[in-house]
Amino acid sequence: MARERQAPKFRRAPPSIRREALIEATLASLRKHGHEGLSVRRIGAEAGVSPGLINHHFPSVWTLVAAAYETLSMSLLESIQRRARESDASPRERLRRFYQASFAPALLDPGLFNTWLVFWSMTSHHAQVRAVHDRTYAAYREALESLLGELRRGDGVPRFKPRPAAIALSALLDGLWIEASINPRTFRPAEAVALCEDWTSALCAGAFPSLLAARRSPRPRSPPRC
Amino acid sequence: MARERQAPKFRRAPPSIRREALIEATLASLRKHGHEGLSVRRIGAEAGVSPGLINHHFPSVWTLVAAAYETLSMSLLESIQRRARESDASPRERLRRFYQASFAPALLDPGLFNTWLVFWSMTSHHAQVRAVHDRTYAAYREALESLLGELRRGDGVPRFKPRPAAIALSALLDGLWIEASINPRTFRPAEAVALCEDWTSALCAGAFPSLLAARRSPRPRSPPRC
DNA sequence: CGCGCTGCTATACGGTCGTACAACAACAGC
DNA sequence: GCTGTTGTTGTACGACCGTATAGCAGCGCG
């Protein structure tokens, strides 16, 4: 009997390719199983690979998770930015598209939210993950800051402080995203977009007193009227 | 030799007392160890009790965690409410105190944030925990809605819609609280309070278009001016 | 075709996990 | 003081965890 050519039991891959595949498998495992998915056995199974291979390519699981965190957050930010900046549009319109992209169905997936929770819960105990958070949050805030900066150059828009404005806007976006992810029935995505739009309108109307840049000749801050 | 009276090896307690003690131990364990603290052994050690006792008083760990979630969130809300409503103050002042209490050092503890992450990560998979979230988030939102309702009765304050306003405000508060908990160096607590105060000012100034209640005779909504 | 480099697998080990269950002991009632 | 109830302990079990390590095998290269 002629010896059949056996299908190879596994395929070799150059380290960079394998590392990327493991990162993707990590994201898939976390998305499916949440915190339970954070194990070399689950990730290995997801990647169709033996558990020991993770430790062969990454010094520890934390390094892999940090890489996955960076990959996912940068990918999401880039995706949202692309939708916000596609075609020429006014700064205000770009912000609106940013909001819409932030509350698109793909972003409101419960699996995505659970993945994010795992990343957040690791920032306290692992410096690498914390570093990734600091870096990606800064990138996110700077993206908003850039869009707000373009808005500020428009006619009749007051000279607000971009950085605190971006912080407030990102907090509003995050808070809405979280609640929508936990309980989609609290409000509809369109309502979230409307609330962000309102915030932008108020910003343009100069309705946020402490966000207005300090005047050359400071005048005493007036107390709230209500 | 006279027989010495031995100190009892353990103390019995009526079920209600023991259950409460186990809830407190659960909160302490989660605060100290985050997700790792969610184990009958850790909780039992924290309560000075054998691991098996948890399963004797609670049908499963999820029931215990749901009870701890409810206890903690209601306790925090009550604490913030007490500070907001102590002594007579204007509605605006009460809101300011609510903000200040929300960003007090006790609320910005990393252990508290990690505890919250555990609760959130369980809402997807366990109906009991999800029910607690829905109930306590509703209570939180209604507290804000009540404070905003008092504000709305003031002179010169436009007739905004209380419910969406409370949703937006709670999102802003949550988003700021999360980022302050993850990375305290992004902004100072006073800045977070100022951003919330700004939001309130804008609300009073009628700067949130879609939050204004529909008119008796609706007029076409004007497009954004910037 | 055959050799060798190395990506990869398979196994073993010590640890922690949740749960079940039998035995123990605190304490109230008699 | 004795006894019964039952809150509580201690142990045992199987499953899964991360890591280390020895050896197998895919595949480029001569």
Side-chain angles (χ1 to χ4, degrees):
Chain A
M1 184 188 295
R3 269 190 64 197
E4 299 287 338
R5 169 164 296 278
Q6 306 279 355
K9 291 184 179 176
F10 60 91
R11 290 186 161 277
R12 313 188 108 190
S16 64
I17 302 293
R18 184 64 77 189
R19 285 172 56 95
E20 194 175 355
L22 288 176
I23 288 174
E24 290 302 320
T26 303
L27 291 176
S29 180
L30 289 179
R31 184 181 289 265
K32 287 180 188 171
H33 309 110
H35 205 282
E36 316 280 324
L38 194 63
S39 107
V40 288
R41 283 173 169 81
R42 301 244 193 187
I43 296 173
E46 185 70 37
V49 133
S50 82
L53 198 60
I54 277 92
N55 282 329
H56 185 264
H57 284 284
F58 292 89
S60 86
V61 187
W62 318 124
T63 312
L64 171 57
V65 173
Y69 188 5
E70 179 133 28
T71 297
L72 179 59
S73 57
M74 286 309 187
S75 157
L76 289 182
L77 176 57
E78 192 187 355
S79 157
I80 295 178
Q81 287 252 63
R82 201 181 315 119
R83 278 197 52 185
R85 294 186 177 279
E86 71 188 358
S87 80
D88 50 353
S90 67
R92 179 69 197 246
E93 175 69 14
R94 286 179 176 177
L95 271 172
R96 200 177 64 85
R97 290 183 183 176
F98 193 101
Y99 303 150
Q100 286 177 330
S102 299
F103 298 103
L107 270 287
L108 294 181
D109 175 34
L112 180 63
F113 177 65
N114 281 319
T115 302
W116 222 256
L117 287 182
V118 174
F119 293 150
W120 276 348
S121 67
M122 291 179 62
T123 53
S124 310
H125 302 304
H126 298 280
Q128 295 187 61
V129 183
R130 168 185 292 268
V132 171
H133 165 79
D134 292 348
R135 207 172 329 127
T136 58
Y137 177 77
Y140 182 72
R141 181 161 41 75
E142 277 159 19
L144 288 177
E145 212 171 313
S146 169
L147 288 171
L148 290 174
E150 298 172 17
L151 185 72
R152 200 176 75 146
R153 281 194 286 276
D155 288 341
V157 180
R159 292 290 173 270
F160 57 85
K161 303 179 201 165
R163 192 174 173 279
I167 289 175
L169 180 54
S170 78
L172 182 61
L173 282 162
D174 286 355
L176 288 170
W177 177 73
I178 288 167
E179 180 55 25
S181 297
I182 296 182
N183 189 349
R185 302 195 300 179
T186 306
F187 51 83
R188 282 169 287 117
E191 295 182 74
V193 173
L195 290 172
C196 293
E197 279 281 283
D198 268 17
W199 185 92
T200 316
S201 298
L203 181 70
C204 289
F208 295 140
S210 78
L211 278 187
L212 297 180
R215 305 277 176 173
R216 189 75 50 87
S217 55
R219 56 181 178 186
R221 192 165 294 171
S222 59
R225 285 186 306 275
C226 62
Chain B
M1 187 188 294
R3 269 187 65 197
E4 299 286 338
R5 170 165 293 280
Q6 306 278 357
K9 289 183 179 177
F10 60 89
R11 291 186 159 278
R12 312 186 108 190
S16 64
I17 301 292
R18 184 66 77 191
R19 284 172 57 96
E20 193 175 355
L22 288 176
I23 289 174
E24 290 302 321
T26 302
L27 292 175
S29 181
L30 289 178
R31 184 181 289 266
K32 286 180 188 171
H33 310 109
H35 205 281
E36 316 280 324
L38 195 62
S39 108
V40 289
R41 283 173 170 81
R42 301 244 194 190
I43 296 173
E46 185 70 38
V49 135
S50 84
L53 198 59
I54 277 91
N55 281 332
H56 184 265
H57 283 285
F58 292 89
S60 87
V61 188
W62 318 123
T63 312
L64 172 57
V65 173
Y69 189 6
E70 178 132 30
T71 297
L72 179 59
S73 56
M74 285 309 187
S75 157
L76 289 182
L77 176 56
E78 191 186 355
S79 157
I80 296 179
Q81 287 252 63
R82 201 181 316 121
R83 279 196 52 185
R85 294 186 177 278
E86 72 188 358
S87 79
D88 49 352
S90 67
R92 178 70 196 246
E93 175 68 14
R94 286 180 175 177
L95 271 172
R96 200 176 64 85
R97 289 183 183 178
F98 194 100
Y99 304 149
Q100 286 178 331
S102 299
F103 298 103
L107 269 287
L108 295 180
D109 176 35
L112 180 63
F113 177 65
N114 281 319
T115 301
W116 222 256
L117 288 182
V118 174
F119 293 148
W120 276 347
S121 67
M122 291 178 63
T123 53
S124 309
H125 303 304
H126 298 280
Q128 296 186 59
V129 183
R130 168 186 292 267
V132 171
H133 166 80
D134 291 349
R135 208 172 328 127
T136 58
Y137 178 78
Y140 182 71
R141 182 162 39 75
E142 277 160 18
L144 288 177
E145 213 171 313
S146 169
L147 287 171
L148 290 174
E150 299 171 17
L151 185 73
R152 199 175 77 144
R153 281 193 287 275
D155 287 342
V157 180
R159 291 290 173 270
F160 57 85
K161 303 178 201 163
R163 192 174 173 280
I167 289 176
L169 181 53
S170 79
L172 182 61
L173 282 163
D174 286 355
L176 289 170
W177 177 74
I178 288 166
E179 180 55 25
S181 297
I182 295 182
N183 189 350
R185 302 195 301 177
T186 306
F187 51 83
R188 282 169 286 118
E191 295 182 75
V193 173
L195 290 172
C196 292
E197 279 281 283
D198 268 16
W199 186 91
T200 315
S201 298
L203 181 70
C204 288
F208 295 140
S210 78
L211 279 187
L212 296 180
R215 304 278 177 174
R216 188 76 49 87
S217 56
R219 55 181 177 185
R221 192 165 295 174
S222 59
R225 285 187 306 274
C226 59

